[in-house]
């Protein structure tokens, strides 16, 4: 806005000049305020960018130490970026917009199995084990919505590890730690999640459901298992309003005809791993390959049988190594299975067999360090350092443990499910070892027995836990809530709810129940 000046003819009055100056001052006040806001914004953006840069550089250094890699030219680039950012901050008194630094992450040479997945070679993944199940165990299901190729296209997208899946894996590998522990019990009023609509579809299982997991690289896909031994592959439709059954596979064990006790999706999204029982010399682990090309059998069973007795209760892939998964069983053992021979075999090695005095009910891997957590019916919580081969910490509580689940955002936080009514869920900081941060739970109306089939799941932001229950409701627990009861409960089914999982990109909860239905619950 230009300065007011008096015309040569003297036509500008004093009042007009004053009015113009007031308007000019008001304009420039807004301009100053706007620039201050920009300074504040870019200062905060710079601090966040520097924090992310330091965190990524630390992860890169740790990754190179694990691989015994030498410093590369790209690491010099990342340090140069850090220096450039510091120079920009100290550049003078005049604030300038600072763009986010672009950190070049050097390529990590993948292993043979990872090369085959990234190249989209279905032949190697379909040969992931030696034994093959009979073709009679495979049952194709008619595709829906009039598109004959919808199932095949979804499977090809998963087995070939699309660009979106590759990006998701990189995000998981280099995702940032967020401090959530200071927020625990910080609020007297929980945040409420609004359920804006629910839809129930038949699970197509003949007996009670057992497990539910979503695909790590394609959120449109999820699988369910049940006591009938069948594993169903589903695809979400209409942004989670419905789901279509793509295929079914008979996954019962060959000798005892046992159903899968637990499932884990391979990080590359092309296979689902299932565990059974060690009794009767039966097969203990099977692989359901989602790539049906070249006429390969979809369900194969691993030959090795490291567990000596009882049910294998839990299976999980390690967050720092996609070529390893962990199983925990009723024989007190925690076993690490390592991929070998280009993905054709998986060799087991016992991490420990006698650190628990009763059944290992849950296992998990920490994100920031090679520690395997295990929780047992002996009321023990253990942290085992895989690299050095010894116990990192041991914690004894007053109640048996049924499962264990690390937080997806705060790498130091994890949850343990126990058998104490009203205090079923406990939060722990791995750095504080034996200090319980918070405990919450629910009072059951239908039964006092605590079932290990009731499972939990974290929300994508790591602030809310969902839990099934012996009642037909989904319990939600806000870790910021300072009371021990659920922050809210959603009536979701007609009978007990086993599990409810969150999706990353859609405001949707998927639940399974003993009423043989799958619930799709849209949230806001």
């Amino acid at each position: 806005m230009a300065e007011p000046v008096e015309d040569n003819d003297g036509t500008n009055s004093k009042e007009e000049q004053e009015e113009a100056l007031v308007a000019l001052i008001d304009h420039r006040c807004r301009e100053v305020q706007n620039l201050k806001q920009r300074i504040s914004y870019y200062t905060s953006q710079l601090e966040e960018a520097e924090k992310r840069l330091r965190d990524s550089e630390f992860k890169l250094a740790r990754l190179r130490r694990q691989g015994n890699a030498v410093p590369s030219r790209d690491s010099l680039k990342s340090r140069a970026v850090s220096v450039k950012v510091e120079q920009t901050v100290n550049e003078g008194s005049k604030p300038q917009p600072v763009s986010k630094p672009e950190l070049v992450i050097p390529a990590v040479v993948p292993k043979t199995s990872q090369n085959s997945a990234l190249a989209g070679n279905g032949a190697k993944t379909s040969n992931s084990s030696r034994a093959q199940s009979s073709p009679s165990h495979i049952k194709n299901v008619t595709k829906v919505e009039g598109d004959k190729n919808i199932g095949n296209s979804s499977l090809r997208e998963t087995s070939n590890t699309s660009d979106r899946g590759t990006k998701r894996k990189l995000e998981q590998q280099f995702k940032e730690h967020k401090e959530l522990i200071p927020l625990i019990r910080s609020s007297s009023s929980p945040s409420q999640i609004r359920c804006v609509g629910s839809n129930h579809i038949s699970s197509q299982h003949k007996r009670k459901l057992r497990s539910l997991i979503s695909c790590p690289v394609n959120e449109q896909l999820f699988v369910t298992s049940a006591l009938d031994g069948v594993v169903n592959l589903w695809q979400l439709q209409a942004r989670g309003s419905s789901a279509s059954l793509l295929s079914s596979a008979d996954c019962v064990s060959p000798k005892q005809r046992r159903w899968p006790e637990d499932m884990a999706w391979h990080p590359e999204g092309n296979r689902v791993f299932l565990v059974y029982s060690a009794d009767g010399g039966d097969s203990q682990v099977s692989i359901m390959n989602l790539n049906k090309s070249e006429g390969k059998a979809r369900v194969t069973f691993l030959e090795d049988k490291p567990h000596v007795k009882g049910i294998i209760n839990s299976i999980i892939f390690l967050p720092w190594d996609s070529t390893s998964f962990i199983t925990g069983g009723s024989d007190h053992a925690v076993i690490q299975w390592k991929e070998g021979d280009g993905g054709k075999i998986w060799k087991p090695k016992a991490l420990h067999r006698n650190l628990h005095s009763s059944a290992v009910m849950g296992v998990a891997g920490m994100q920031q360090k090679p520690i395997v957590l295990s929780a047992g019916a002996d009321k023990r919580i253990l942290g085992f350092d895989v690299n050095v081969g010894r116990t990192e910490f041991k914690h004894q509580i007053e109640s048996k443990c049924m499962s264990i689940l690390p937080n997806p955002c705060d790498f130091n936080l994890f949850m343990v499910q126990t058998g104490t009514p009203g205090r079923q869920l406990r939060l722990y900081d791995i750095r504080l070892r034996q200090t319980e941060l918070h405990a919450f739970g629910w009072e059951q109306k239908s039964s006092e027995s605590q079932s290990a089939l009731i499972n939990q799941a974290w929300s994508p932001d790591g602030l809310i836990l969902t839990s099934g229950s012996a009642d037909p409701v989904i319990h939600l627990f806000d870790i910021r809530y300072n009371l021990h009861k659920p922050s809210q409960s959603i009536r979701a089914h007609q009978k007990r709810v086993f599990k409810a999982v969150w999706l990353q990109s859609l405001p949707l909860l998927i639940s399974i129940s003993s009423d043989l239905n799958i619930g799709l619950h849209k949230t806001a």
Side-chain angles (χ1 to χ4, degrees):
M1 185 178 293
E3 297 278 3
V5 294
E6 185 176 357
D7 292 344
N8 294 332
D9 297 335
T11 55
N12 268 8
S13 65
K14 180 179 178 181
E15 290 79 7
E16 291 173 341
Q17 292 184 35
E18 183 178 350
E19 183 179 351
L21 281 170
V22 169
L24 179 64
I25 290 172
D26 183 62
H27 165 74
R28 289 182 172 168
C29 282
R30 289 196 300 270
E31 186 179 29
V32 169
Q33 186 65 27
N34 186 37
L35 288 172
K36 286 182 178 180
Q37 291 177 351
R38 288 187 181 184
I39 292 172
S40 175
Y41 169 75
Y42 283 115
T43 300
S44 64
Q45 288 293 99
L46 175 60
E47 291 174 353
E48 289 296 323
E50 287 179 318
K51 182 179 177 181
R52 290 193 295 268
L53 176 60
R54 290 192 299 268
D55 186 62
S56 298
E57 286 180 326
F58 170 76
K59 291 177 181 178
L60 175 59
R62 184 183 65 196
L63 185 64
R64 283 176 172 163
R65 285 198 302 269
Q66 291 176 353
N68 295 324
V70 296
S72 67
R73 186 179 305 170
D74 290 325
S75 65
L76 299 178
K77 287 183 181 180
S78 64
R79 286 194 289 271
V81 170
S82 179
V83 173
K84 184 177 180 181
V85 171
E86 294 178 1
Q87 291 175 347
T88 306
V89 176
N90 300 323
E91 205 170 53
S93 58
K94 293 184 179 181
Q96 295 180 357
V98 180
S99 61
K100 294 183 179 180
E102 181 180 356
L103 175 60
V104 180
I105 300 177
V108 180
V109 179
K111 300 183 180 178
T112 306
S113 61
Q114 294 170 326
N115 274 332
S116 63
L118 294 175
N121 187 348
K124 289 187 178 181
T125 53
S126 62
N127 290 324
S128 56
S129 66
R130 298 175 184 172
Q132 296 183 357
S133 65
S134 169
S136 63
H137 287 176
I138 303 171
K139 178 174 63 176
N140 293 329
V141 178
T142 303
K143 310 302 181 288
V144 297
E145 296 188 354
D147 186 352
K148 295 181 181 180
N149 296 321
I150 185 172
N152 291 332
S153 63
S154 298
L155 296 176
R156 283 197 300 269
E157 178 185 359
T158 306
S159 61
N160 291 339
T161 314
S162 62
D163 291 341
R164 179 175 56 183
T166 304
K167 181 180 178 182
R168 177 71 59 81
K169 285 191 295 180
L170 288 174
E171 288 175 351
Q172 290 176 345
Q173 185 175 3
F174 296 103
K175 64 183 180 180
E176 298 171 359
H177 166 79
K178 295 181 181 178
E179 288 286 347
L180 300 183
I181 289 177
L183 301 178
I184 294 176
R185 304 181 65 179
S186 62
S187 175
S188 59
S189 59
S191 62
Q192 295 290 313
I193 293 178
R194 188 162 55 95
C195 186
V196 297
S198 295
N199 184 29
H200 294 82
I201 59 176
S202 172
S203 67
Q204 305 293 322
H205 289 286
K206 297 179 181 179
R207 298 183 64 188
K208 289 183 179 180
L209 282 87
R210 195 76 169 186
S211 184
L212 160 72
I213 52 174
S214 60
C215 179
V217 299
N218 183 355
E219 284 193 325
Q220 301 300 312
L221 302 178
F222 64 94
V223 291
T224 58
S225 70
L227 299 184
D228 56 11
V230 174
V231 175
N232 287 337
L233 173 65
W234 299 85
Q235 182 178 34
L236 291 173
Q237 304 289 337
R239 295 186 59 81
S241 298
S242 62
S244 306
L245 179 61
L246 297 183
S247 64
S248 296
D250 189 347
C251 296
V252 294
S253 62
K255 289 187 177 181
Q256 300 292 320
R257 307 296 292 172
R258 294 272 311 181
W259 56 81
E261 296 288 344
D262 194 20
M263 302 187 294
W265 213 307
H266 191 282
E268 294 173 356
N270 52 11
R271 290 163 287 175
V272 176
F273 288 62
L274 309 104
V275 291
Y276 300 86
S277 170
D279 293 332
D282 207 354
S283 297
Q284 299 183 7
V285 179
S286 73
I287 303 174
M288 187 177 77
N289 198 320
L290 300 181
N291 181 16
K292 296 191 296 182
S293 63
E294 302 182 6
K296 300 296 182 181
R298 286 187 60 195
V299 181
T300 56
F301 291 85
L302 301 187
E303 294 182 354
D304 289 289
K305 303 171 184 178
H307 290 280
V308 296
K309 65 177 180 178
I311 294 172
I312 303 171
N313 296 301
S314 182
I315 177 174
I316 191 74
F317 272 87
L318 295 176
W320 66 83
D321 183 7
S322 63
T323 65
S324 288
F325 66 88
I326 302 292
T327 57
S330 298
D331 59 349
H332 314 173
V334 174
I335 307 294
Q336 179 182 14
W337 301 71
K338 190 76 173 177
E339 185 179 15
D341 194 17
K344 295 181 180 180
I345 59 174
W346 291 81
K347 283 298 181 182
K349 179 186 73 171
L351 293 184
H352 53 84
R353 292 186 179 275
N354 54 10
L355 296 181
H356 285 280
S357 60
S358 187
V360 176
M361 302 301 297
V363 289
M366 297 301 291
Q367 181 75 32
Q368 82 281 28
K369 56 178 66 175
I371 290 181
V372 171
L373 301 175
S374 57
D378 57 358
K379 307 177 184 180
R380 292 177 186 172
I381 305 167
L382 297 178
F384 188 85
D385 192 317
V386 176
N387 283 353
V388 300
R390 59 176 172 82
T391 304
E392 179 79 5
F393 69 90
K394 181 187 297 184
H395 183 27
Q396 186 85 37
I397 64 175
E398 83 290 348
S399 177
K400 65 179 181 179
C401 304
M402 299 178 181
S403 65
I404 193 164
L405 192 64
N407 187 278
C409 298
D410 193 322
F411 300 158
N412 296 311
L413 178 63
F414 64 93
M415 178 226 72
V416 175
Q417 179 192 3
T418 72
T420 304
R423 300 181 71 245
Q424 288 94 334
L425 310 182
R426 320 281 182 94
L427 298 182
Y428 294 94
D429 185 339
I430 193 173
R431 300 166 297 184
L432 300 180
R433 309 302 187 197
Q434 301 179 3
T435 303
E436 183 180 287
L437 303 178
H438 192 20
F440 34 55
W442 63 93
E443 297 297 334
Q444 295 180 175
K445 297 180 181 179
S446 58
S447 172
E448 287 301 318
S449 63
Q450 304 297 309
S451 173
L453 299 180
I454 303 300
N455 285 300
Q456 292 74 41
W458 286 102
S459 62
D461 61 8
L463 294 174
I464 298 176
L465 268 166
T466 54
S467 178
S469 70
D471 302 310
V473 297
I474 302 171
H475 292 304
L476 280 71
F477 298 90
D478 188 338
I479 67 172
R480 296 163 293 187
Y481 194 29
N482 58 11
L483 297 185
H484 299 290
K485 63 181 182 179
S487 55
Q488 66 183 107
S489 299
I490 301 174
R491 185 172 182 87
H493 288 273
Q494 298 300 316
K495 296 182 179 180
R496 69 163 59 187
V497 178
F498 291 124
K499 190 176 184 179
V501 300
W502 305 74
L503 294 190
Q504 293 282 338
S505 57
L506 289 177
L508 185 72
L509 273 172
I510 306 176
S511 60
I512 55 173
S513 166
S514 59
D515 62 10
L516 301 185
N517 288 325
I518 298 173
L520 305 173
H521 315 282
K522 289 191 173 182
T523 62

